[in-house]
Amino acid sequence: MNKEEQVIMGFRDLYNKIVWLNKDKMEESLKGFKSSEVHCIEYIEKNVDSNVTKLAEYFYMTRGAISKLTKKLIKKGLIESYQKSDNKKEIYFRLTEQGKVIYKIHEDLHKEFQERDKAVFDKITEEQFDSMLSFVEKYSKHLDQEIKKMDIYNKSE
């Protein structure tokens, strides 16, 4: 296995371990909520004037899938839609008080997991962080370009 394959396998292995370690606590604390719902709530709270288009782009989902998801969240009383006075066409989302509770539980869990893993990150130098962040940024930009190519390809069919 070459270094490139080792890096990819390492990322995959790390991701799988994080998911496995966090799964039980997440499911217990956020019973009745799907991961996609919780992450949609998180995005809406952190991004002012979230709409279907922004959510679809962020989650790499279709607008139809996001519409379905946001309708479920509205029905559950976790988000509400609104319009701006200067733009009656676009529909935006914000959290309800109940949605903010779910957001807080999720954020607190992430802080707990971050604290658990602090021992590793405390030993990382600034240079190591900079190097890792640089790689992640470069790889992410490359993947963004590949995704754009797919969108163009899919639209021409």
Side-chain angles (χ1 to χ4, degrees):
M1 185 183 316
N2 67 31
K3 287 186 178 183
E4 182 182 325
E5 291 168 326
Q6 287 177 329
V7 168
I8 296 296
M9 291 301 290
F11 274 130
R12 189 176 298 143
D13 190 44
L14 279 172
Y15 175 77
N16 288 337
K17 286 176 185 177
I18 291 168
V19 169
W20 187 83
L21 274 170
N22 298 353
K23 188 177 192 285
D24 288 345
K25 191 109 188 203
M26 284 282 197
E27 286 178 354
E28 178 188 319
S29 300
L30 296 163
K31 212 179 232 87
F33 299 101
K34 294 179 182 173
S35 173
S36 58
E37 293 172 333
V38 174
H39 289 119
C40 187
I41 287 167
E42 178 184 39
Y43 182 89
I44 291 169
E45 179 62 16
K46 290 182 176 181
N47 296 276
V48 177
D49 295 337
S50 297
N51 60 21
V52 169
T53 302
K54 287 180 185 177
L55 288 162
E57 286 172 2
Y58 181 78
F59 289 110
Y60 300 98
M61 294 170 69
T62 64
R63 290 168 45 95
I66 292 295
S67 289
K68 238 182 197 180
L69 179 57
T70 53
K71 282 178 184 157
K72 276 185 191 175
L73 292 174
I74 289 169
K75 192 172 180 182
K76 288 183 175 187
L78 301 170
I79 66 172
E80 60 189 10
S81 61
Y82 67 94
Q83 292 176 308
K84 294 181 179 182
S85 57
D86 62 336
N87 181 357
K88 294 291 183 190
K89 185 178 173 192
E90 192 64 52
I91 295 172
Y92 301 96
F93 303 106
R94 63 180 161 233
L95 299 188
T96 62
E97 287 307 312
Q98 191 180 349
K100 288 179 182 180
V101 169
I102 299 303
Y103 172 80
K104 174 108 172 69
I105 291 168
H106 185 243
E107 282 300 295
D108 289 347
L109 286 169
H110 276 287
K111 285 178 186 159
E112 181 182 325
F113 302 147
Q114 198 171 4
E115 193 61 36
R116 174 197 66 205
D117 300 339
K118 196 173 180 0
V120 174
F121 289 100
D122 282 349
K123 294 176 184 163
I124 305 293
T125 66
E126 280 300 311
E127 292 79 22
Q128 288 171 320
F129 270 123
D130 290 344
S131 181
M132 288 186 283
L133 290 169
S134 174
F135 171 75
V136 168
E137 185 180 334
K138 285 176 188 168
Y139 194 30
S140 182
K141 283 181 181 177
H142 164 74
L143 295 175
D144 285 341
Q145 290 172 340
E146 292 301 310
I147 289 167
K148 280 183 183 170
K149 284 182 197 174
M150 285 180 64
D151 284 347
I152 291 166
Y153 177 75
N154 289 333
K155 287 176 185 170
S156 66
E157 287 181 348

